Amino acid sequence: MPGFELFGDLERKEVNDVLDNGVLMRYGFDGMRNGHWKAKELEHELANTFNSHHVQLVSSGTAAVSVALASAGVGAGDEVIMPTFTFVASFEAIMMLGAIPVLVDIDDTLTLDPEAVKAAITPNTKAVMVVQMCGSMGDLNALQNICKQHKLLLIEDACQAIGGTYEGKPLGSIGDLGCFSFDFVKTITCGEGGAVITNNEEYYINADHYSDHGHDHIGNDRGAETHPFLGYNFRISELHAAVGLAQVRRLPEFIAIQKKHYTILRDAVASLPEVTFRRVPKGGEESYAFLNFFMPNLEIARKVVENFKTNGIDVCWNYFDNNWHYVKEWNHLKNQKSLFPLSSEVKQGLERIKNTSFDQSDHFIGRNISCLIKMSWTEEEVILRASKMVDAIKAAL
Ligand SMILES: *Cc1c(COP(=O)(O)O)cnc(C)c1O
């Protein structure tokens, strides 16, 4: 997955454009820029890539999720349904707005179970956030239908699935708003950065203003701009955007490499009858950023990961005990370890998470093994890795 593996001359050239004129900020300073508008160019490029009307770059993927929710009016006391398996950013982005994260089970797609989503809807529910984890996606038609029926927003966190598609549409472009991260370990990197995409003009204008202190961005005198509403600073810098601009142009090349490596590993592991694969919804195509498969039980899955380690097979994980990605170890969240006071609604919401058992999620995450697909491997290395993986799995059975 990591775009940093293939950092080179193209990235350097874009960064040097920015260094040559010294305008490191994305807004203003028109006269000094020598025509370089890297953030704007990257937004344009991303709009084409995602077949989406509007793109707002921001400072991180976490900021993207928070800005997306804020732009659609989600805030204090609103409930946002999110999965038990994701990155901590999901609840951070929700709580930053004073909204309440409502955690629900995942299914064999490793993303939101539509039935669990339905069961979690209350009069306070405002949005459903599907997190397209590990290069694939949820049952988007089912989720979209639920959202339509209950008049809820569908927010797509596609941070780990850039380049994947569903019924021919890019992941991220299907919900009301989509979110991407360009942090250092994502398929496309800016170093740090993120993007909100949407076809809704009002949400876009909100995101544009909100991510820059509420500036209306009308005219070319920044000091004279008005503030139609309150905002914060989630801006990306020109230096970061320049790196991303070189990277996004290489996305098709990156996805093709991931697919090639993924396919070699998958075909090898598929020869073992005990191995089953994560379900990709009908009409979906993965981004091939990860290969995910299930072992018969948690004990065997743990043994497989151990055997992988002793045989030099890195970047493969069982996320059951992972404290970044799975609810079981999110003790800071469950124990409400906040530096500042939380509202009583948020506290009650977190209390509920502490007192809920997520057996269905445990069933899938406990048995899952998730292997990152690197782009810098040679084909020989991938073939060798595949046969080592097969041997290590056999030894654990
Ligand atoms: C990386 C990631 C984020 C957050 O991105 P940052 O840019 O690191 O803030 C959010 N959601 C998911 C699923 C991610 O993998």
Side-chain angles (χ1 to χ4, degrees):
M1 170 159 91
F4 72 75
E5 295 179 276
L6 302 179
F7 187 93
D9 289 343
L10 295 167
E11 287 76 7
R12 258 189 296 278
K13 186 209 159 286
E14 296 296 335
V15 173
N16 280 333
D17 281 349
V18 178
L19 294 177
D20 282 346
N21 63 43
V23 181
L24 310 185
M25 186 175 178
R26 68 158 301 177
Y27 297 114
F29 304 94
D30 300 22
M32 293 164 60
R33 313 185 75 98
N34 296 335
H36 293 310
W37 297 90
K38 299 300 178 187
K40 272 190 190 165
E41 264 188 82
L42 178 53
E43 283 168 346
H44 187 74
E45 201 70 49
L46 289 167
N48 287 338
T49 302
F50 299 124
N51 210 356
S52 206
H53 291 326
H54 308 289
V55 177
Q56 179 63 44
L57 282 172
V58 290
S59 51
S60 71
T62 313
V65 178
S66 215
V67 168
L69 289 166
S71 299
V74 177
D78 292 334
E79 293 179 359
V80 180
I81 293 175
M82 59 165 273
T84 53
F85 175 52
T86 174
F87 181 52
V88 289
S90 300
F91 59 76
E92 291 168 358
I94 294 167
M95 288 174 63
M96 197 148 67
L97 301 167
I100 303 163
V102 175
L103 269 61
V104 307
D105 273 324
I106 56 145
D107 61 18
D108 57 349
T109 64
L110 299 178
T111 72
L112 285 179
D113 173 7
E115 289 306 314
V117 169
K118 265 191 227 165
I121 294 171
T122 76
N124 294 326
T125 309
K126 203 69 182 281
V128 174
M129 187 199 297
V130 57
V131 182
Q132 320 286 28
M133 276 300 273
C134 301
S136 186
M137 70 215 81
D139 279 309
L140 293 171
N141 274 340
L143 293 169
Q144 217 159 21
N145 286 338
I146 294 169
C147 287
K148 272 192 195 130
Q149 196 185 338
H150 294 269
K151 297 195 167 53
L152 305 174
L153 293 160
L154 181 63
I155 310 284
E156 264 187 278
D157 174 340
C159 293
Q160 292 196 9
I162 188 168
T165 59
Y166 180 73
E167 295 183 345
K169 294 185 212 118
L171 294 180
S173 72
I174 294 150
D176 296 286
L177 296 123
C179 307
F180 291 94
S181 164
F182 307 119
D183 78 20
F184 195 52
V185 297
K186 298 304 200 284
T187 302
I188 296 290
T189 186
C190 290
E192 298 283 0
V196 179
I197 72 172
T198 183
N199 285 327
N200 182 308
E201 191 175 4
E202 186 191 343
Y203 295 162
Y204 162 66
I205 291 171
N206 288 346
D208 168 88
H209 295 13
Y210 180 75
S211 59
D212 184 27
H213 304 294
H215 271 269
D216 66 11
H217 299 145
I218 293 170
N220 57 6
D221 179 359
R222 196 167 157 78
E225 289 173 10
T226 66
H227 306 98
F229 49 77
L230 296 168
Y232 287 99
N233 177 3
F234 296 113
R235 288 190 307 257
I236 194 166
S237 82
E238 283 288 277
L239 285 170
H240 291 92
V243 177
L245 187 57
Q247 290 251 307
V248 75
R249 291 181 178 139
R250 304 174 72 185
L251 184 61
E253 171 198 341
F254 287 4
I255 300 298
I257 298 170
Q258 286 184 168
K259 182 172 182 175
K260 188 170 129 199
H261 294 172
Y262 168 108
T263 306
I264 294 170
L265 297 181
R266 182 176 173 125
D267 288 351
V269 173
S271 66
L272 302 168
E274 293 85 355
V275 171
T276 52
F277 291 92
R278 118 35 99 96
R279 178 168 62 86
V280 177
K282 197 167 152 280
E285 179 164 11
E286 296 181 71
S287 75
Y288 308 103
F290 292 83
L291 175 67
N292 286 276
F293 52 92
F294 298 113
M295 298 311 301
N297 59 46
L298 172 64
E299 200 194 331
I300 295 175
R302 280 183 171 147
K303 223 157 123 195
V304 168
V305 172
E306 218 179 277
N307 290 354
F308 279 179
K309 271 204 187 111
T310 50
N311 288 287
I313 300 162
D314 61 354
V315 297
C316 287
W317 304 277
N318 171 266
Y319 284 120
F320 193 59
D321 299 314
N322 183 287
N323 53 21
W324 292 97
H325 292 290
Y326 190 51
V327 63
K328 187 167 78 68
E329 299 297 328
W330 289 342
N331 296 315
H332 61 322
L333 177 72
K334 293 184 233 176
N335 296 324
Q336 307 183 12
K337 299 286 187 193
S338 174
L339 289 177
F340 47 82
L342 300 171
S343 74
S344 59
E345 289 104 321
V346 170
K347 281 181 171 172
Q348 278 166 24
L350 299 186
E351 206 55 42
R352 254 181 283 151
I353 296 171
K354 195 173 178 174
N355 296 323
T356 308
S357 55
F358 296 102
D359 297 341
Q360 185 178 309
S361 301
D362 288 350
H363 173 74
F364 291 111
I365 293 302
R367 296 181 304 124
N368 177 247
I369 292 171
S370 194
C371 292
L372 182 75
I373 304 295
K374 284 196 162 187
M375 296 187 281
S376 54
W377 293 329
T378 64
E379 192 169 337
E380 293 70 37
E381 283 171 335
V382 183
I383 291 167
L384 182 63
R385 167 176 280 260
S387 80
K388 278 189 180 176
M389 279 172 67
V390 170
D391 292 344
I393 295 169
K394 274 187 187 156
L397 290 166

